Amino acid sequence: MSGISMGSGKNEHDLILEMQKDLRDAAIKHFGCHDPVFKNGKEAEKALHRFFNWYDSSYAIPAIGMTPDEAWEKRHGSRKETLHPKLDMIYDATEVGIIFDEEAGMGIAPDYGFVKMLLEGEKETIKNADALVRDIVKGLLLPPHILKKLLRKNEVRAVRVFGRVYPQVRTADDLDRLMKKHQREWDIPPKPGIKPVHTADDGAVSSEEG
């Protein structure tokens, strides 16, 4: 996948954030949400390929009124090849989430579905919940920025869920302190997931998803 966004007068960082927001909005339009979950890595890979085929050929980027394919052809005079991310290293992983975030870009998260069940599902307890909570706290499942967003959607529930494993957690502030203790990057803003390849004088940026 290679996205293009244009915005005269904007710096490179702002353009990248704009591109990531476009990608997130496209994901919501295509999947119905910004963080779809698939039963395994192979299914996630297939879904990702379908998404980027659709995104490059059919999604009109609001800022320029063209699809990524059209913008690329206009700039380079030829059609580009859609890149298909490979997820073969996690084919056997379960409940794999594809997360599109306007600040951090796109990420792949095995077991993301279990985390969402725990924090947003109908029941607050699931199989192996205690082990899952410990892995979350250790930073083994999600980057801090994404985890923060999940926790803040329902802080009262998050406190209950984590408090069952960590009795010192009685408030949202307690939970925040717990995360800071175990995750050194808890308060560090995320780096954009899109890596700029070239910035032109006219404000156009071509990119690759990191």
Side-chain angles (χ1 to χ4, degrees):
M1 185 278 294
S2 179
I4 296 178
S5 180
M6 298 181 184
S8 179
K10 295 183 180 180
N11 62 40
E12 186 175 274
H13 181 264
D14 288 342
L15 283 168
I16 291 171
L17 292 181
E18 180 181 297
M19 293 167 70
Q20 292 182 165
K21 183 180 183 302
D22 285 343
L23 197 62
R24 180 184 186 275
D25 291 346
I28 292 172
K29 186 173 182 179
H30 183 78
F31 293 113
C33 64
H34 77 282
D35 57 349
V37 175
F38 302 90
K39 65 180 182 180
N40 56 47
K42 197 163 189 176
E43 291 301 312
E45 182 184 88
K46 291 177 183 177
L48 204 53
H49 291 184
R50 288 192 296 269
F51 169 73
F52 281 129
N53 284 336
W54 168 83
Y55 175 77
D56 280 349
S57 64
S58 303
Y59 180 75
I61 299 171
I64 59 176
M66 290 184 285
T67 67
D69 278 348
E70 291 169 340
W72 182 274
E73 187 168 2
K74 180 179 179 180
R75 179 169 179 76
H76 298 279
S78 62
R79 292 186 64 83
K80 68 178 180 62
E81 179 183 354
T82 295
L83 300 180
H84 290 144
K86 295 290 291 181
L87 305 183
D88 50 300
M89 295 296 291
I90 59 166
Y91 273 177
D92 294 331
T94 56
E95 293 294 317
V96 176
I98 305 175
I99 306 167
F100 296 85
D101 184 79
E102 65 272 24
E103 296 174 84
M106 187 193 78
I108 310 297
D111 294 331
Y112 182 67
F114 294 122
V115 178
K116 288 199 72 176
M117 285 182 219
L118 190 65
L119 297 175
E120 299 181 355
E122 293 182 3
K123 299 180 180 179
E124 292 186 8
T125 57
I126 62 174
K127 186 178 180 180
N128 299 322
D130 288 4
L132 185 65
V133 166
R134 292 190 183 95
D135 284 347
I136 292 171
V137 170
K138 292 175 185 176
L140 300 179
L141 300 181
L142 292 173
H145 172 71
I146 300 300
L147 178 56
K148 274 184 182 181
K149 287 190 172 184
L150 280 177
L151 297 178
R152 288 172 180 171
K153 280 184 179 180
N154 190 336
E155 290 184 333
V156 173
R157 174 168 174 162
V159 167
R160 286 199 303 265
V161 168
F162 284 81
R164 293 190 185 102
V165 182
Y166 297 91
Q168 70 270 35
V169 174
R170 298 180 180 179
T171 67
D173 287 341
D174 292 337
L175 182 54
D176 192 60
R177 279 190 288 271
L178 177 69
M179 294 301 179
K180 287 180 181 178
K181 178 180 178 181
H182 290 273
Q183 299 189 34
R184 289 183 297 176
E185 298 185 354
W186 184 250
D187 285 328
I188 298 176
K191 295 180 180 179
I194 288 178
K195 300 175 183 178
V197 176
H198 174 70
T199 304
D201 293 337
D202 62 3
V205 174
S206 60
S207 70
E208 293 178 347
E209 190 72 29

